[in-house]
Amino acid sequence: MLTVDYDLLGVRPGMRVLDLGCGEGRHAFEAYRRGADVLAVDWGQHEVATTAEWLGAIAAAGEAPAGASAAVARGDLRALPVPDASVDRVIASEVLEHITDDRTAIAEIVRVLRPGGRVAVTVPRYGPERICWALSDGYHANEGGHVRIYRGDQLSERLSEARLRPTDTHHAHALHAPYWWLKCAVGDTALTKTYHRVLVWDLMKRPWLTRTAEQLLDPVLGKSFVVYADKPA
């Protein structure tokens, strides 16, 4: 399940792509399959190990083009283990809302991006996220949980303050918003688990009905807000 539009991000073979807060690697996998040289970074040991395992499986299955490379590193997004101006594209998907000092993390993104490089930042959208917070303290009030809710204009302003130039925006995952509302309201009940199975089915089969419905609903209910920004050349 991709939140970032790789055509808007402009990932091309041979580019150096940094996936920050990679989780279990979903965005790193797609960049690798598109022929990029990928470095996936996360603080969690389990996430790093899982991403490395799946990247190895992609390579073994021949799903990545010749010349592409992939590596994984454990690191703090406020002090990235990456040289200055060394990457072409940065993905920071659903991670800044976990970081108290998000301005330092954004400054690190600017530091490692080459002039003319582009970043895609995704965060939970204000409206659907506010409902989740209202329904359940446990959703966010835990170690490593969400520490803030971004408004779209607030995130764009923070990127601009760091001397990035925001360009395109969109929303994603409208069908996932009701799932999280259910989970926050009633927990892992039979209804919640049934809805989750529907989401997995949709992810695997991608039928035209649900894909069309989500495309129409994303501007209204999209769970994630995505902004793309360029570092001036």
Side-chain angles (χ1 to χ4, degrees):
M1 181 185 72
L2 297 177
T3 308
V4 171
D5 184 325
Y6 277 69
D7 294 327
L8 285 176
L9 184 58
V11 173
R12 297 188 296 275
M15 280 186 165
R16 179 72 165 163
V17 176
L18 184 61
D19 181 12
L20 301 180
C22 64
E24 295 189 346
R26 59 195 175 103
H27 284 101
F29 303 155
E30 179 65 16
Y32 186 32
R33 289 187 178 105
R34 290 185 176 229
D37 296 326
V38 182
L39 175 62
V41 178
D42 202 289
W43 182 249
Q45 293 180 335
H46 170 77
E47 286 78 1
V48 167
T50 300
T51 300
E53 180 179 352
W54 279 104
L55 286 170
I58 290 170
E63 295 179 12
S69 67
V72 182
R74 187 166 182 257
D76 188 335
L77 271 65
R78 298 165 298 178
L80 294 171
V82 179
D84 294 357
S86 62
V87 299
D88 301 291
R89 298 290 186 267
V90 175
I91 299 167
S93 183
E94 311 298 304
V95 64
L96 288 183
E97 68 274 9
H98 294 273
I99 301 174
T100 303
D101 186 7
D102 61 335
R103 285 185 169 87
T104 295
I106 292 171
E108 278 292 273
I109 290 172
V110 177
R111 178 184 68 80
V112 302
L113 261 181
R114 289 174 177 153
R118 173 168 283 200
V119 58
V121 178
T122 92
V123 297
R125 186 182 189 172
Y126 183 87
E129 183 76 348
R130 177 62 70 187
I131 293 172
C132 288
W133 282 46
L135 290 171
S136 171
D137 289 338
Y139 171 79
H140 65 93
N142 55 73
E143 184 178 356
H146 298 184
V147 298
R148 74 178 59 79
I149 305 176
Y150 287 100
R151 298 186 310 274
D153 58 350
Q154 179 189 30
L155 178 58
S156 294
E157 286 170 5
R158 294 206 176 175
L159 296 176
S160 296
E161 289 169 2
R163 298 193 299 276
L164 292 171
R165 187 177 69 251
T167 55
D168 302 287
T169 65
H170 62 84
H171 299 94
H173 310 317
L175 297 183
H176 289 249
Y179 166 76
W180 284 104
W181 298 338
L182 274 173
K183 190 174 177 69
C184 289
V186 299
D188 288 321
T189 64
L191 178 59
T192 310
K193 292 176 180 178
T194 298
Y195 197 108
H196 185 266
R197 286 195 291 270
V198 171
L199 292 177
V200 173
W201 169 80
D202 174 61
L203 176 64
M204 300 301 294
K205 301 298 184 181
R206 300 188 65 81
W208 70 268
L209 181 60
T210 54
R211 292 300 84 221
T212 301
E214 184 159 79
Q215 186 176 12
L216 293 173
L217 289 171
D218 273 344
V220 181
L221 292 180
K223 183 70 169 63
S224 296
F225 173 70
V226 189
V227 58
Y228 303 83
D230 295 332
K231 181 175 180 178

